[in-house]
Amino acid sequence: MDFKHVPVLYEECISNLKIRDDGIYVDGTLGGGGHASGIAEHLSRKGMLIGIDRDADAIEAAGKRLSDMECKVELVHGNYSEITDILEKLGVNGIDGALLDIGVSSFQLDNAERGFSYMHDAPLDMRMNRDDGFSAYDVINGYDKNRLTEVIRKYGEEKWASRISDFIIKRRKTGKIETTGQLVDVIKAAIPASARREGPHPAKRTFQAVRIEVNNELEQLERAIDRFCDVLLPGGRLCVITFHSLEDRIVKEAFNRRLNPCTCPKEFPVCICGKVSDVNKVTGKPIVAGEEELKRNPRARSAKLRVIEKKG
């Protein structure tokens, strides 16, 4: 299967990165290379693109797509949250910009065998890095009711979380839940018919929750923001695209902490901790997709882009 990825908010990302043709830029969520190829096209042979992805299939596919670029291209099979170590291994002291497109890629959703989609019947997997030993199968068949409920409620923002986990536990008594189709059937049985008639697919929130749990996505994102800000050179920009409120909240709060690093109690009349911001806010409200993009790519509907810039 071809590795397809429809880059979301493409023009907005390229514009906000303010790419210098001799700069060093990182795409921390390489995917099919859609955003990365746009960055690389703006770079001369003096420039450098570093692409990172947890998915070996992404590295292989993007490598083909980026093979004819004029700039230097370095592709790394790894996690973007390890950016500091990755740059050190590459001998790079700082970067001029970076992009993070958080969440699951179009390829991973469309490739049925990966088990990310509730629209295809496949083994329960959902691992972004197939070298990892822990999968959706382990969550669904191994977690107790309380832990399952917490995951589904916290990461899926699913109001029927307790009922869904109840039905999962009962279904497990007759045998392991091994496929996405079996899990969808359990979720549909758990959610009352009246609630299933409105809104998104009844399994959407639970699948999102399990995927986030399997891949430790929110912790990786929180860890990464400061690390990327640390490695930005003066004037360098970090662009982050999120797809649901949990991710966006993490980015917004991480940016705000970086913009206002003072740790003094609020009642202090003046700051005595001495912590000073090293970044400037570029976006207030997040940038969202326009009508034309939404017609071309419905998956862009929930996308939000936030941008921050290193001072200097």
Side-chain angles (χ1 to χ4, degrees):
M1 180 174 179
D2 291 336
F3 199 121
K4 297 175 183 175
H5 178 64
V6 182
V8 172
L9 296 170
Y10 174 85
E11 297 292 343
E12 292 84 350
C13 288
I14 299 300
S15 169
N16 273 283
L17 280 171
K18 292 195 174 296
I19 301 168
R20 288 185 16 238
D21 66 357
D22 61 347
I24 300 173
Y25 294 85
V26 174
D27 185 339
T29 48
L30 188 62
H35 287 113
S37 59
I39 295 169
E41 284 167 4
H42 286 74
L43 298 175
S44 68
R45 60 171 53 95
K46 292 182 179 179
M48 182 179 185
L49 170 73
I50 300 167
I52 305 167
D53 207 286
R54 299 168 76 169
D55 193 328
D57 293 345
I59 297 292
E60 182 181 353
K64 294 173 184 174
R65 185 168 185 170
L66 297 166
S67 60
D68 295 330
M69 294 298 173
E70 187 179 3
C71 66
K72 184 177 181 182
V73 176
E74 289 280 359
L75 302 183
V76 179
H77 181 213
N79 195 312
Y80 67 81
S81 68
E82 305 301 328
I83 183 62
T84 312
D85 294 339
I86 289 169
L87 293 182
E88 189 177 330
K89 286 177 184 173
L90 292 173
V92 174
N93 295 321
I95 61 174
D96 296 287
L99 168 68
L100 300 175
D101 181 359
I102 306 305
V104 66
S105 73
S106 302
F107 167 79
Q108 289 164 333
L109 282 172
D110 294 338
N111 190 346
E113 70 180 44
R114 301 297 294 272
F116 285 102
S117 176
Y118 43 79
M119 303 302 289
H120 307 290
D121 191 24
L124 267 178
D125 192 339
M126 301 194 199
R127 292 171 298 167
M128 290 182 176
N129 183 351
R130 290 205 264 193
D131 293 338
D132 292 342
F134 184 71
S135 72
Y137 177 91
D138 301 301
V139 173
I140 295 301
N141 291 288
Y143 282 18
D144 63 23
K145 177 180 160 42
N146 289 341
R147 199 170 176 196
L148 265 178
T149 301
E150 183 186 8
V151 166
I152 298 168
R153 183 177 290 137
K154 182 179 178 183
Y155 296 151
E157 298 179 298
E158 172 61 78
K159 70 177 182 178
W160 300 103
S162 181
R163 192 170 158 87
I164 290 168
S165 62
D166 257 340
F167 275 60
I168 289 171
I169 299 295
K170 287 173 186 171
R171 170 61 177 77
R172 279 176 6 193
K173 290 176 182 175
T174 65
K176 301 288 188 183
I177 300 172
E178 298 188 354
T179 69
T180 54
Q182 289 171 349
L183 180 57
V184 168
D185 288 343
V186 174
I187 295 166
K188 283 182 176 177
I191 298 177
S194 57
R196 295 202 308 268
R197 292 191 197 107
E198 298 176 357
H201 191 286
K204 180 178 180 180
R205 294 186 181 94
T206 300
F207 269 63
Q208 172 186 295
V210 175
R211 189 201 82 220
I212 289 172
E213 174 73 4
V214 167
N215 296 289
N216 198 26
E217 291 177 40
L218 300 187
E219 288 82 358
Q220 303 289 359
L221 174 59
E222 196 158 10
R223 194 177 300 140
I225 300 293
D226 272 327
R227 292 179 179 179
F228 269 91
C229 287
D230 287 343
V231 300
L232 283 176
L233 295 168
R237 289 187 167 191
L238 172 62
C239 297
V240 186
I241 302 171
T242 59
F243 287 87
H244 57 78
S245 59
L246 293 171
E247 295 169 344
D248 184 55
R249 196 179 308 136
I250 286 171
V251 176
K252 181 182 178 180
E253 290 175 359
F255 279 10
N256 284 339
R257 283 195 302 272
R258 197 83 185 198
L259 287 158
N260 304 292
C262 175
T263 54
C264 296
K266 290 181 180 178
E267 58 268 21
F268 279 24
V270 292
C271 171
I272 61 168
C273 73
K275 293 180 179 176
V276 180
S277 175
D278 62 348
V279 296
N280 291 315
K281 183 186 288 187
V282 176
T283 52
K285 289 184 177 180
I287 297 167
V288 297
E291 287 303 315
E292 277 190 35
E293 178 169 4
L294 292 175
K295 288 176 187 172
R296 293 195 314 270
N297 183 14
R299 285 178 181 161
R301 185 165 302 280
S302 56
K304 293 181 178 179
L305 169 65
R306 292 187 185 271
V307 186
I308 205 165
E309 180 181 273
K310 195 73 169 276
K311 286 183 178 177

